[in-house]
């Protein structure tokens, strides 16, 4: 379920879509974190997300919620990353809506 504002949207994604979607998002987050010269530990402290969650997400071993993605993007402080994440999410929801 994606949580956008106060409304909940249930999205039925098949495993291939979900894996591809999360991989693309995790790559964007990792690239932005590295570009911002932040370690996973630094990002965890700034975002309030556990470092092990960030590590598992970046390595593709765990999915995360939209809320967590937004926390990470805000902590990284990259408007470009936030815009990219929203674009990717919107594009995938439109395709599979």
């Amino acid at each position: 379920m994606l949580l956008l504002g106060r409304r909940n949207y249930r999205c039925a994604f098949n495993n291939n879509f979900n894996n591809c979607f999360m991989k693309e998002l995790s790559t964007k987050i990792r690239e932005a974190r590295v570009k911002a010269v932040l370690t996973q530990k630094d990002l965890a402290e700034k975002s309030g997300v556990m470092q092990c969650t960030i590590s598992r997400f970046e390595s593709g071993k765990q999915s995360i919620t939209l809320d967590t993605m937004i926390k990470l993007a805000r902590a990284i402080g990259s408007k470009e990353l936030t815009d990219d994440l929203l674009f990717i999410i919107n594009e995938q929801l439109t395709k599979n809506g």
Side-chain angles (χ1 to χ4, degrees), residues 17-29:
F17 166 77
N18 196 28
N19 290 340
C20 180
F21 179 65
M22 283 297 164
K23 183 176 180 181
E24 187 174 0
L25 294 175
S26 66
T27 299
K28 291 279 186 187
I29 287 174

Side-chain angles (χ1 to χ4, degrees), residues 5-58:
R6 295 179 187 258
R7 299 187 63 183
N8 296 335
Y9 296 87
R10 291 196 178 274
C11 301
F13 300 137
N14 65 40
N15 286 338
N16 290 335
F17 166 77
N18 196 28
N19 290 340
C20 180
F21 179 65
M22 283 297 164
K23 183 176 180 181
E24 187 174 0
L25 294 175
S26 66
T27 299
K28 291 279 186 187
I29 287 174
R30 183 181 189 287
E31 288 172 352
R33 177 182 61 76
V34 170
K35 186 176 178 180
V37 194
L38 293 170
T39 64
Q40 288 179 350
K41 182 179 177 182
D42 295 335
L43 182 55
E45 290 171 1
K46 289 182 77 170
S47 67
V49 176
M50 292 177 18
Q51 188 270 328
C52 61
T53 300
I54 296 167
S55 175
R56 288 191 305 253
F57 177 61
E58 287 187 357

Side-chain angles (χ1 to χ4, degrees), residues 60-72:
K61 295 177 183 173
Q62 177 179 338
S63 296
I64 60 174
T65 65
L66 180 58
D67 183 54
T68 301
M69 281 185 242
I70 291 169
K71 285 180 185 177
L72 295 175

